[in-house]
Amino acid sequence: MDAMLRELSYAQAIQEAMAIAMEADERVFLMGEDIGVYGGAFQVTGDLVERFGADRVMDTPISELGGAGVAVGAAMTGLRPIFEFQFSDFATLALEQIVNQAAKMRFMLGGEVSVPLVMRFPAGSGTGAAAQHSQSLEAWLGHVPGLKVIQPATPYDAKGMLLAAIADPDPVMIFEHKLLYKMKGPVPEGYYTVPIGKADIRREGRDLTVVATSIMVHKALEAAQALEAEGIDIEVVDLRTVRPMDKRTIIDSVKKTSRLLCVYEAVKTLGVGAEVSAMIAESEAFDFLDAPIVRLGGAETPIPYNPELEKATVPQVPDIVAAARDLVKGVR
Amino acid sequence: MARKAVMEKAVSTNLPFAYRHYDAGQLKEVLRKMYLIRRFEEGAEDCYMRGLIHGTMHLSIGQEASAMGICMPLAEDDQITSTHRGHGHCIAKGAEVGKMFAEFFGKTTGYCKGRGGSMHIADVAKGNLGANGIVAGGIPIAVGAALSAKRLKTGKVVVSFFGDGANNEGAFHEALNMASIWKLPVVFVCENNGYGMSTSTDRSTAVRNIADRAAAYAMPGIIVNGNIFSDVAEASHAAVERARAGEGPTLIESKTYRYRGHSKSDRNRYRTKEEIEDWMSNRDPIALFEAELKEFGIIDGEGIEAVREVVRQEIAEAIEFAKASPSPDIRDLQDYVYTELA
């Protein structure tokens, strides 16, 4: 079978990346809650404990703060931990270690240490898990110099960006949308990396640039198909990395299309789309704009339990279609 | 056995630990470093008062025996994590005071190239993974370093210093639990100086002794008089040996006292002058150590004076080095945020 045609799920792609890294480097190990025999809450670590043993697929107590600190200390002293948060929401319990320690250690110590740490955050809504298990907090961590924050949207990128993160000497935070875990896509066998800090143009178009993150990339692509029937041709940019942001790709795209729509699941106010919008407003692309910049983000509410309410909280394909149509037709 | 040898053995076994375990040269070096810590902090305080150092600092004057006693059994590549009150730990682990002053002055020759200051002083080459501005922030990091030591089979032991205030942080409890279940080579050292900023341990902590917390994590909890060098060193030797032998962590509570306020903003309203004076005149760790050294014939008054003079010169030179060192270039502001890739 052609390696390029092989399909894996997003979760399998992550698992394969971790296995490759652990196979290649004794220092790489996994930490997290119930990642051993249980296989992780989303079965991302799966049966890796059988292959690598409990020392390298290490169940922690339910101690997010302490566990994150252990990972920071291990990373500073020669190991390369991959720390799984069971849900990204639980990062709130560990922010001290992430924000004050991991992100700043190298800087505070004048470059005397590096913190080669990877943290994985299952994120996002759509699973009926309600307000404390459904958030998208990437902008929180994206605000912190010293961290790198990525949101791979496809199985291919999930594997390649995770391998890049493991090889990176600095702390990399990976936000994985839970609804993507079962999505399948082509994933080459063996080692490859997808660079951190580089956006990807998923679909070329001339009328409008849509900068989307994570699961919204797929919704934007779906919207693009619907709009094509109306004669509207949109360009979909997959941001992939929140920090450091690939400004060039977005600026060049907006200069070409003269319109910008940002689509992201996190609460709209002060989210990633705000940063993209402001960046474009400050850039040479501003003079090329033919319409105001528009953001489609999550509602200003916690994620509700009721499935209809939950769906209404985050941008859906019809919302993207409507917003794009309005922008291109000059309604906005 | 000859009578003389029997007598000598009897005498030597009655001596406190440090005087059986260390030779005269080592003990004199301990005295020198205790003075170095004190004079360093007095010098830093003086520079601060004269406007040469900005920001704030947390002085450990009065706690010198604790820092020195704990670090005695540590090898150069053993590691420590430290606290906002960490100058003593840094010096005890082998740091050069010139580079420390340079850091306080914000100079490029400082340990953190002027990026960290007092609260983040570190000396990675000597195993000091850094002071920490977050109470209890360094405790899980020490456990992580101990995990590295165990996995990489380096034989290193890690000591985590923290204050009494940290024992009520969740990170303390989470870290001790993990160190115990994984039997990691780490020693937890709580320097209990009686107050977390202004709040006394009586008001903040449900148990009488912080060492009592050790029982909850199935590790030994040892209480020592933190102002008696020999007692601290004895407890540290036992804990470090236990850690190195793979038997797991120990919690040492070193009961001590800080003479100065919490930081430079402290008006000392939560304790009395009498209390401070009592500690200074009756339980000063350097005075107690000097009395023992004299009693056991290791040093005389003249010898002590010579040590003080050596330290005085070292501190004066260190401050001059710091003053004369270059400041960072503002164009280098972004340095060290991320690892520079070749």
Side-chain angles (χ1 to χ4, degrees):
Chain A
M1 185 177 165
D2 187 334
M4 278 308 291
L5 292 178
R6 185 187 68 145
E7 293 220 323
L8 288 184
S9 75
Y10 189 98
Q12 287 169 327
I14 292 168
Q15 186 182 117
E16 187 168 277
M18 294 192 293
I20 288 170
M22 288 169 81
E23 205 62 75
D25 186 345
E26 278 283 324
R27 299 170 303 168
V28 177
F29 74 105
L30 317 181
M31 286 179 75
E33 292 160 10
D34 308 293
I35 63 167
V37 289
Y38 193 99
F42 298 96
Q43 290 301 318
V44 176
T45 46
D47 294 331
L48 286 179
V49 68
E50 285 170 24
R51 206 166 137 194
F52 294 100
D55 273 356
R56 295 184 72 198
V57 184
M58 196 177 174
D59 279 326
T60 68
I62 303 173
S63 300
E64 286 84 2
L65 171 62
V70 170
V72 173
M76 285 170 66
T77 52
L79 293 176
R80 302 190 81 101
I82 303 172
F83 189 90
E84 176 179 300
F85 281 87
Q86 198 157 77
F87 286 81
S88 67
D89 312 68
F90 305 164
T92 53
L93 290 151
L95 280 178
E96 195 288 288
Q97 284 293 333
I98 300 169
V99 174
N100 294 321
Q101 313 293 347
K104 297 172 175 57
M105 197 58 78
R106 178 176 176 77
F107 182 82
M108 293 189 298
L109 270 52
E112 292 296 312
V113 291
S114 287
V115 186
L117 164 67
V118 174
M119 288 181 156
R120 298 183 33 249
F121 301 91
S125 68
T127 64
Q132 296 173 338
H133 291 72
S134 303
Q135 296 168 87
S136 300
L137 300 176
E138 65 278 357
W140 286 29
L141 299 187
H143 194 64
V144 182
L147 300 180
K148 296 180 180 177
V149 180
I150 63 176
Q151 290 183 282
T154 65
Y156 180 93
D157 281 359
K159 178 177 171 184
M161 294 186 87
L162 176 53
L163 284 168
I166 295 166
D168 199 287
D170 296 316
V172 181
M173 311 286 115
I174 308 183
F175 284 81
E176 303 160 358
H177 201 292
K178 287 168 295 209
L179 295 185
L180 293 177
Y181 279 138
K182 289 189 175 150
M183 167 179 281
K184 289 202 164 186
V187 177
E189 286 175 26
Y191 187 88
Y192 68 93
T193 59
V194 172
I196 293 167
K198 193 85 194 78
D200 187 31
I201 298 172
R202 294 282 177 197
R203 182 190 194 279
E204 292 199 20
R206 59 170 194 275
D207 296 329
L208 164 71
T209 297
V210 175
V211 175
T213 59
S214 189
I215 196 169
M216 291 299 158
V217 172
H218 303 283
K219 292 187 180 179
L221 288 170
E222 223 181 293
Q225 281 206 319
L227 290 160
E228 199 174 70
E230 302 177 23
I232 296 171
D233 185 20
I234 70 172
E235 178 146 308
V236 177
V237 178
D238 177 355
L239 187 63
R240 296 204 290 198
T241 301
V242 171
R243 173 185 280 273
M245 190 174 281
D246 179 4
K247 298 175 182 173
R248 192 73 254 160
T249 296
I250 303 168
I251 290 169
D252 287 345
S253 175
V254 172
K255 281 166 75 175
K256 183 176 79 174
T257 65
S258 303
R259 292 179 180 86
L260 173 63
L261 173 66
C262 302
V263 188
Y264 51 109
E265 175 167 328
V267 172
K268 180 178 165 183
T269 301
L270 296 167
V272 169
E275 185 57 39
V276 172
S277 305
M279 184 274 291
I280 286 300
E282 288 176 334
S283 78
E284 81 249 28
F286 179 77
D287 286 336
F288 291 76
L289 286 173
D290 288 341
I293 299 167
V294 173
R295 286 176 292 155
L296 277 184
E300 306 293 320
T301 166
I303 303 290
Y305 166 67
N306 174 286
E308 293 309 313
L309 292 181
E310 182 182 23
K311 223 175 146 190
T313 309
V314 300
Q316 303 296 342
V317 175
D319 303 321
I320 302 171
V321 169
R325 187 191 293 129
D326 286 355
L327 257 174
V328 173
K329 298 206 164 161
V331 178
R332 311 274 306 233
Chain B
M1 199 184 284
R3 189 183 159 79
K4 188 167 173 265
V6 172
M7 282 297 290
E8 275 175 2
K9 190 164 189 295
V11 169
S12 71
T13 48
N14 283 333
L15 285 170
F17 172 86
Y19 308 94
R20 284 179 274 130
H21 207 84
Y22 307 127
D23 63 31
Q26 286 175 299
L27 291 165
K28 285 181 198 166
E29 176 61 8
V30 171
L31 181 67
R32 187 188 72 84
K33 286 180 93 171
M34 281 169 71
Y35 266 116
L36 195 61
I37 295 169
R38 181 159 301 184
R39 298 288 182 257
F40 174 84
E41 294 203 304
E42 288 169 350
E45 188 176 39
D46 181 60
C47 291
Y48 178 86
M49 296 301 189
R50 290 195 283 132
L52 295 168
I53 296 175
H54 79 153
T56 191
M57 63 180 69
H58 308 84
L59 300 174
S60 68
I61 296 174
Q63 303 184 182
E64 296 86 350
S66 188
M68 277 310 300
I70 293 296
C71 288
M72 281 307 280
L74 299 182
E76 185 163 310
D77 65 348
D78 286 330
Q79 291 167 321
I80 66 168
T81 63
S82 173
T83 71
H84 57 287
R85 204 174 306 287
H87 311 152
H89 311 145
C90 197
I91 292 171
K93 194 67 179 69
E96 295 166 38
V97 286
K99 287 186 184 174
M100 289 179 69
F101 270 119
E103 185 58 33
F104 287 27
F105 278 69
K107 301 296 183 70
T108 56
T109 52
Y111 272 111
C112 310
K113 303 183 184 72
R115 269 63 170 190
S118 157
M119 234 183 311
H120 304 295
I121 195 84
D123 180 6
V124 179
K126 289 277 168 67
N128 181 357
L129 299 175
N132 210 303
I134 305 297
V135 171
I139 308 177
I141 292 174
V143 176
L147 180 67
S148 287
K150 186 171 180 174
R151 284 291 166 72
L152 301 170
K153 299 185 172 63
T154 59
K156 290 181 191 177
V157 169
V158 186
V159 166
S160 179
F161 285 102
F162 51 91
D164 46 283
N167 105 98
N168 294 314
E169 288 277 14
F172 164 85
H173 295 271
E174 294 184 16
L176 264 68
N177 183 57
M178 283 186 277
S180 184
I181 58 176
W182 297 328
K183 271 197 185 275
L184 297 179
V186 56
V187 179
F188 300 103
V189 178
C190 178
E191 294 182 316
N192 180 355
N193 60 25
Y195 299 91
M197 207 155 158
S198 71
T199 309
S200 68
T201 49
D202 291 345
R203 291 168 61 214
S204 69
T205 302
V207 288
R208 184 156 178 77
N209 302 296
I210 286 153
D212 297 347
R213 304 266 204 213
Y217 305 107
M219 68 177 78
I222 311 294
I223 299 170
V224 292
N225 182 334
N227 285 21
I228 298 179
F229 165 75
S230 179
D231 290 4
V232 179
E234 185 170 17
S236 186
H237 270 272
V240 169
E241 276 164 30
R242 180 181 141 83
R244 216 175 306 271
E247 291 164 30
T250 301
L251 171 60
I252 296 174
E253 178 181 4
S254 173
K255 290 187 190 278
T256 182
Y257 197 78
R258 62 168 153 78
Y259 297 168
R260 299 298 195 268
H262 161 73
S263 69
K264 304 316 294 180
S265 66
D266 191 334
R267 295 179 299 164
N268 264 321
R269 285 194 162 183
Y270 50 87
R271 53 184 188 173
T272 61
K273 274 204 179 88
E274 292 72 29
E275 179 184 297
I276 300 170
E277 273 159 20
D278 176 44
W279 278 88
M280 289 174 72
S281 19
N282 300 318
R283 275 165 279 178
D284 182 75
I286 297 180
L288 293 175
F289 187 51
E290 282 180 347
E292 286 183 342
L293 290 174
K294 281 189 194 164
E295 186 187 339
F296 301 130
I298 289 153
I299 202 165
D300 56 15
E302 208 174 304
I304 290 171
E305 209 40 66
V307 168
R308 290 176 184 162
E309 180 53 26
V310 165
V311 169
R312 196 193 60 74
Q313 279 184 24
E314 188 171 351
I315 294 295
E317 283 164 20
I319 292 173
E320 285 315 307
F321 168 76
K323 281 184 187 166
S325 290
S327 288
D329 192 318
I330 288 167
R331 284 170 298 187
D332 297 333
L333 177 63
Q334 298 280 328
D335 283 3
Y336 318 122
V337 179
Y338 295 99
T339 303
E340 302 75 20
L341 298 175

